[in-house]
Amino acid sequence: METMKKRLPYAFAHALCMFIYIGMYVAGYIMIDILHLRISFGTMVVTLIPLVFWILLMLNFYKNLASMSKAFLISSIIIGIFICSISWVKLGYNEWKSHFDYDRWVSNHEQRSYMVASLLEQHELKGRSHEEVLALLGAPDTLATSQEPQSTYVYGMGRAGLGVDSERLVIEFDQDKVSEYRIDVD
């Protein structure tokens, strides 16, 4: 009975720590999704920090609680690694989703916001002709023209951030060449 009273606070502390640990990764997963984070040294380190603390905490529990079995310690660490790896899978998925691909750009407007950074890194838009832009991006969603020899292509990119505002890539032409481009949020 006495050992049960000693174990109970540690069991409660372990359960609370596991709940906090999972909560941190759920919040991180949501932030990865909202911010469209991709694999980088910084994101990998940030996802590893809670895992390191989890392992140190489990080792501390093991050291201070003689009745804690090695199997429980190892299974707790494996669960921690599994939860951490879910974040890595999401980062990898975002990395794949973020690469510009003509077919995905044309067929799935909601995915364009993921690809636009890759598009702008890989392809210089300034100075391109109407035909070159159409070959690269397909037909615009809307075409605005004015009396002057300038026109504007608008490519919708779906919802931004929290899904409240819409993003769009606006490409302005002057003398049949791209003079300016920007991402608008409304």
Side-chain angles (χ1 to χ4, degrees):
M1 187 71 171
E2 189 64 32
T3 59
M4 184 67 149
K5 286 182 180 179
K6 287 182 179 180
R7 276 195 237 165
L8 194 58
Y10 283 106
F12 178 75
H14 182 269
L16 180 62
C17 290
M18 179 62 96
F19 179 75
I20 291 169
Y21 180 74
I22 291 171
M24 288 172 59
Y25 274 105
V26 168
Y29 185 88
I30 291 168
M31 293 308 296
I32 288 169
D33 198 39
I34 289 173
L35 299 174
H36 305 290
L37 295 177
R38 302 184 300 185
I39 293 176
S40 69
F41 179 74
T43 58
M44 294 302 283
V45 168
V46 166
T47 59
L48 279 173
I49 289 171
L51 178 62
V52 170
F53 282 115
W54 176 253
I55 291 172
L56 292 174
L57 187 65
M58 290 301 100
L59 290 172
N60 186 39
F61 276 145
Y62 183 71
K63 181 180 141 197
N64 292 323
L65 187 59
S67 63
M68 183 181 194
S69 70
K70 262 190 179 175
F72 186 76
L73 171 70
I74 292 169
S75 64
S76 293
I77 291 173
I78 289 172
I79 289 169
I81 292 169
F82 174 75
I83 292 169
C84 180
S85 68
I86 292 170
S87 295
W88 297 338
V89 168
K90 180 62 177 169
L91 288 168
Y93 177 68
N94 282 358
E95 185 73 29
W96 171 79
K97 224 171 32 170
S98 69
H99 289 289
F100 175 74
D101 177 75
Y102 174 81
D103 293 328
R104 282 195 354 239
W105 179 271
V106 171
S107 64
N108 193 344
H109 295 200
E110 293 296 318
Q111 296 293 314
R112 288 178 177 175
S113 63
Y114 287 100
M115 292 183 275
V116 74
S118 174
L119 163 73
L120 297 176
E121 288 170 7
Q122 294 175 11
H123 304 280
E124 178 59 46
L125 294 180
K126 282 191 178 182
R128 287 186 182 252
S129 67
H130 287 274
E131 293 78 22
E132 290 173 322
V133 171
L134 291 174
L136 180 63
L137 301 176
D141 299 325
T142 58
L143 174 65
T145 59
S146 63
Q147 301 292 356
E148 301 177 26
Q150 178 178 343
S151 61
T152 304
Y153 287 178
V154 179
Y155 293 90
M157 296 191 304
R159 298 284 175 198
L162 297 173
V164 178
D165 299 320
S166 294
E167 286 183 316
R168 59 184 187 262
L169 175 62
V170 179
I171 303 173
E172 294 182 1
F173 293 87
D174 189 22
Q175 306 288 330
D176 191 41
K177 299 285 183 193
V178 175
S179 59
E180 181 183 339
Y181 60 89
R182 65 184 179 281
I183 298 172
D184 284 349
V185 179
D186 64 355

